[in-house]
Amino acid sequence: MSHPQEPDRHRMIHPDLAVSDDEAPRSPDGHRLEHGAGTSRPLRPRSHEPQPRGARVHGHRPIDQNEAAARFIAAPEHEQMHDERLWDLRQKRDRQMRAIPEWEELREIASRIKQHTLSHLDTYLEQFEAAAKANGVHVHWAEDGAAHNRIVHAILRDHGARRLIKSKSMLTEECGFRHYMAASGIEVIETDLGERIQQLDDEDPSHIVVPAVHKLRADVADVFARKLGTDPDNDDVHYLAERQREATRPLILEADAGLTGGNFAVAETGSIVVCTNEGNADLSGNVPKLQIHSVGIEKIIPQVADLGIFVRLLSRSALGSPMTQYTSHFRGPRPGTEMHVVLVDNGRAARLGMEEFWTSLKCIRCGACMNTCPVYRRSGGLSYGATYSGPIGLILDPTFDKRKYSTLPFSSTLNGSCSNVCPVKINIHEQIFAWRKVLAEARELPLVKRAMMSAAGKVLSHPALYRTAIRTADSALKVLPRFVVYNPLNTWTQGREMPPVPKSTFHDWYAANHPAPAEDPTSPEAKP
């Protein structure tokens, strides 16, 4: 049923992908609801286009994000769907932001709380540990990802656990947790639907909040047909979700242990707060008798009262919904059970000492910067070849491996939209630019790019040489044949046309139309 009264601002970027029978929930006046992940406009691809895979990873060699992005862009239905879905989330975020007059004040307060906490991180970590132990929680400290995996494995081994259910956790992805557990004979079952899709397809999550957002419904149908035995020709989302639930729920009920991440760790109470929309963290934390929470040390906040600020910002920034469906507080073990918290550093302490980059630790993993980024929306999260993609990934990933992720900070237009939407006011685009300088000084750029930048620097630092180069280039472009200009070595022309040659440069036009004023002989500055 169509609703022509809906304003133009709700039109899709790609209307040819619209589904005519839109049965989304509506208000009494017939308009679609304006928020929530469940009210995205239904889209349907025109054909079953194979899903492009992510970046090719070769050890510590630099990731070629451009190559992977080109393959994603070459799959137009995936690119358009990805772009539309994420821009939809950005628009929902904006509507929620405009509905709260104190939005900018909330951002400022959240930023200050994070800055204060990170400036006194040792104190709040010790306070959290003391409070958690008083609640009967076992607290462990992990210096890096390998230590985290060993600690969790030891806990599982001591309890004879062979199957672990877990909710979505970017930290465990960062630590390579699933691969470690598989090699140790521990079965790990993801309980988040998006993460489960990615696990079954042997892919990493492509987005912090919506891990399988790059997949068409037909892609999911293919994965489930191969791994769960579903009908490969049935891509109805309700059918697919129900079949996955039927296959996974028995595994959850029979699990020996459960693991969750943590959105916030409250120093005052020693509690872990997890925000989800599926309730899967509650299953992981409450069904088994052994519960484990893996939390990065930067997730600490001082007081329960601070949660009100972050909870109001988190889901609105991530999905454009007023709040997550479930906000779960894990404060201590239930009778007859055990609760463990693993506090993980994995480079965070070192980043805290980086003058230009330490504020990246404020991140609350909402993904708003990814939803607004034109590069991420059109290239797909897996093209980055890293746990963290998009703008936030560009400033986090080089702290883990400067050489491997040396190309990523250049995958940005530096338009600043990421910083504008960040709920904790991280200056993301400025840090991306700062990383470019660091990587150039560390000689982590490809030889060709170093040579081009060196030549450009010399030309741009000498005005006369710059003007001469511009005139020479303009004259050459007027006479050179197209195949000379549009060649494989000219990366500028691989995705765009050269601008038309102007009749004159701005410098020449200005000199001709704004001659220097004649000198006043009576002026004190006049020459004798």
Side-chain angles (χ1 to χ4, degrees), residues 98-112:
R98 287 191 288 268
I100 300 179
E102 66 273 23
W103 180 262
E104 290 303 321
E105 184 179 358
L106 290 174
R107 290 181 69 213
E108 180 63 28
I109 295 172
S111 180
R112 290 181 181 179

Side-chain angles (χ1 to χ4, degrees), residues 409 411-418 428-434 436:
S411 299
S412 170
T413 65
L414 297 180
N415 62 74
S417 180
C418 49
I428 300 175
H429 71 292
E430 293 177 352
Q431 292 192 37
I432 293 173
F433 179 71
R436 293 183 181 185

Side-chain angles (χ1 to χ4, degrees), residues 348-491:
R348 287 158 173 77
R351 197 185 314 154
L352 192 59
M354 297 180 177
E355 183 176 355
E356 289 186 283
F357 306 113
W358 71 273
T359 56
S360 63
L361 291 167
K362 293 181 179 181
C363 177
I364 60 174
R365 304 293 192 266
C366 68
C369 62
M370 306 163 81
N371 300 340
T372 197
C373 176
V375 175
Y376 175 87
R377 294 201 322 262
R378 290 166 177 82
S379 61
L382 296 180
S383 69
Y384 293 77
T387 298
Y388 302 105
S389 53
I392 191 64
L394 304 189
I395 61 177
L396 294 181
D397 296 328
T399 66
F400 297 114
D401 192 324
K402 190 181 295 184
R403 181 170 187 269
K404 183 175 182 178
Y405 303 119
S406 58
T407 62
L408 297 189
F410 295 88
S411 299
S412 170
T413 65
L414 297 180
N415 62 74
S417 180
C418 49
S419 301
N420 290 339
V421 300
C422 177
V424 288
K425 303 184 75 170
I426 302 173
N427 58 334
I428 300 175
H429 71 292
E430 293 177 352
Q431 292 192 37
I432 293 173
F433 179 71
W435 266 116
R436 293 183 181 185
K437 293 192 293 182
V438 169
L439 293 168
E441 292 169 358
R443 302 183 67 81
E444 290 290 353
L445 305 183
L447 180 61
V448 173
K449 179 170 283 190
R450 290 207 307 269
M452 292 175 63
M453 293 179 69
S454 176
K458 291 178 181 177
V459 171
L460 294 173
S461 62
H462 295 83
L465 180 59
Y466 169 74
R467 288 193 287 272
T468 300
I470 290 295
R471 292 191 184 96
T472 302
D474 287 349
S475 299
L477 287 173
K478 293 177 181 178
V479 298
L480 287 175
R482 183 178 177 86
F483 74 88
V484 175
V485 178
Y486 292 82
N487 65 76
L489 297 179
N490 187 358
T491 57

Side-chain angles (χ1 to χ4, degrees), residues 214-440:
H214 61 293
K215 279 180 161 60
L216 305 178
R217 64 176 69 183
D219 299 328
V220 179
D222 285 345
V223 174
F224 283 9
R226 286 187 282 109
K227 298 299 179 71
L228 303 180
T230 59
D231 180 358
D233 297 320
N234 190 342
D235 64 358
D236 177 73
V237 292
H238 302 288
Y239 166 78
L240 294 171
E242 182 62 20
R243 295 291 86 79
Q244 192 281 147
R245 179 185 183 278
E246 291 175 349
T248 306
R249 187 55 61 96
L251 302 176
I252 293 173
L253 297 177
E254 298 167 4
D256 303 309
L259 184 146
T260 83
N263 292 91
F264 308 101
V266 184
E268 178 185 29
T269 60
S271 56
I272 302 297
V273 180
V274 185
C275 303
T276 68
N277 284 308
E278 300 174 21
N280 53 302
D282 296 84
L283 292 173
S284 301
N286 289 308
V287 172
K289 292 186 177 181
L290 174 61
Q291 63 179 112
I292 305 169
H293 302 273
S294 299
V295 184
I297 57 175
E298 84 283 11
K299 296 297 184 70
I300 295 285
I301 61 173
Q303 308 172 77
V304 173
D306 299 325
L307 276 174
I309 301 294
F310 293 101
V311 169
R312 293 185 72 190
L313 289 167
L314 177 60
S315 192
R316 286 180 167 90
S317 298
L319 300 172
S321 56
M323 65 183 302
T324 51
Q325 303 299 317
Y326 301 87
T327 301
S328 307
H329 297 246
F330 297 96
R331 187 165 182 172
R334 292 166 286 117
T337 69
E338 279 191 24
M339 176 176 170
H340 295 255
V341 173
V342 186
L343 295 171
V344 184
D345 184 334
N346 201 36
R348 287 158 173 77
R351 197 185 314 154
L352 192 59
M354 297 180 177
E355 183 176 355
E356 289 186 283
F357 306 113
W358 71 273
T359 56
S360 63
L361 291 167
K362 293 181 179 181
C363 177
I364 60 174
R365 304 293 192 266
C366 68
C369 62
M370 306 163 81
N371 300 340
T372 197
C373 176
V375 175
Y376 175 87
R377 294 201 322 262
R378 290 166 177 82
S379 61
L382 296 180
S383 69
Y384 293 77
T387 298
Y388 302 105
S389 53
I392 191 64
L394 304 189
I395 61 177
L396 294 181
D397 296 328
T399 66
F400 297 114
D401 192 324
K402 190 181 295 184
R403 181 170 187 269
K404 183 175 182 178
Y405 303 119
S406 58
T407 62
L408 297 189
F410 295 88
S411 299
S412 170
T413 65
L414 297 180
N415 62 74
S417 180
C418 49
S419 301
N420 290 339
V421 300
C422 177
V424 288
K425 303 184 75 170
I426 302 173
N427 58 334
I428 300 175
H429 71 292
E430 293 177 352
Q431 292 192 37
I432 293 173
F433 179 71
W435 266 116
R436 293 183 181 185
K437 293 192 293 182
V438 169
L439 293 168

Side-chain angles (χ1 to χ4, degrees), residues 70-89:
R71 284 190 281 109
F72 192 81
I73 293 171
E77 291 186 20
H78 284 80
E79 182 207 13
Q80 290 179 5
M81 191 78 75
H82 193 258
D83 185 18
E84 166 66 22
R85 277 285 175 253
L86 295 174
W87 188 246
D88 180 49
L89 295 180

Side-chain angles (χ1 to χ4, degrees), residues 11-278:
R11 287 184 180 176
M12 298 175 55
I13 299 175
H14 308 291
D16 53 336
L17 296 179
V19 173
S20 57
D21 55 340
D22 180 0
E23 299 179 355
R26 295 181 180 273
S27 62
D29 62 1
H31 287 80
R32 303 174 88 256
L33 295 186
E34 295 294 322
H35 61 73
T39 59
S40 294
R41 290 182 171 275
L43 311 178
R44 186 176 295 277
R46 291 154 294 187
S47 64
H48 188 184
E49 174 184 84
Q51 180 199 324
R53 311 308 281 189
R56 299 182 175 101
V57 180
H58 305 284
H60 291 278
R61 290 172 55 187
I63 295 292
D64 191 347
Q65 198 265 344
N66 287 337
E67 183 274 334
R71 284 190 281 109
F72 192 81
I73 293 171
E77 291 186 20
H78 284 80
E79 182 207 13
Q80 290 179 5
M81 191 78 75
H82 193 258
D83 185 18
E84 166 66 22
R85 277 285 175 253
L86 295 174
W87 188 246
D88 180 49
L89 295 180
R90 164 65 203 268
Q91 290 178 310
K92 291 177 182 176
R93 175 262 177 202
D94 289 351
R95 290 195 286 270
Q96 289 294 314
M97 175 267 292
R98 287 191 288 268
I100 300 179
E102 66 273 23
W103 180 262
E104 290 303 321
E105 184 179 358
L106 290 174
R107 290 181 69 213
E108 180 63 28
I109 295 172
S111 180
R112 290 181 181 179
I113 291 173
K114 277 290 188 177
Q115 180 157 339
H116 165 78
T117 309
L118 292 168
S119 300
H120 302 82
L121 189 57
D122 54 343
T123 300
Y124 287 116
L125 285 171
E126 291 175 356
Q127 183 182 355
F128 174 86
E129 180 185 34
K133 286 183 175 179
N135 296 337
V137 178
H138 301 273
V139 179
H140 311 263
W141 297 84
E143 180 181 2
D144 53 27
H148 164 269
N149 295 340
R150 289 194 300 268
I151 290 169
V152 175
H153 185 210
I155 297 170
L156 298 174
R157 185 178 60 241
D158 291 345
H159 290 77
R162 306 300 298 172
R163 176 181 292 156
L164 172 80
I165 56 174
K166 66 178 289 289
S167 68
K168 185 159 65 67
S169 165
M170 295 307 297
L171 176 64
T172 58
E173 297 289 344
E174 177 187 318
C175 296
F177 176 75
R178 276 209 318 256
H179 299 290
Y180 181 96
M181 289 296 131
S184 303
I186 304 293
E187 182 184 15
V188 176
I189 304 295
E190 296 286 352
T191 59
D192 176 89
L193 178 58
E195 285 279 1
R196 184 62 173 161
I197 293 170
Q198 291 303 93
Q199 181 184 24
L200 292 174
D201 200 24
D202 195 27
E203 278 190 331
D204 294 330
S206 71
H207 189 284
I208 289 176
V209 177
V210 275
V213 70
H214 61 293
K215 279 180 161 60
L216 305 178
R217 64 176 69 183
D219 299 328
V220 179
D222 285 345
V223 174
F224 283 9
R226 286 187 282 109
K227 298 299 179 71
L228 303 180
T230 59
D231 180 358
D233 297 320
N234 190 342
D235 64 358
D236 177 73
V237 292
H238 302 288
Y239 166 78
L240 294 171
E242 182 62 20
R243 295 291 86 79
Q244 192 281 147
R245 179 185 183 278
E246 291 175 349
T248 306
R249 187 55 61 96
L251 302 176
I252 293 173
L253 297 177
E254 298 167 4
D256 303 309
L259 184 146
T260 83
N263 292 91
F264 308 101
V266 184
E268 178 185 29
T269 60
S271 56
I272 302 297
V273 180
V274 185
C275 303
T276 68
N277 284 308
E278 300 174 21

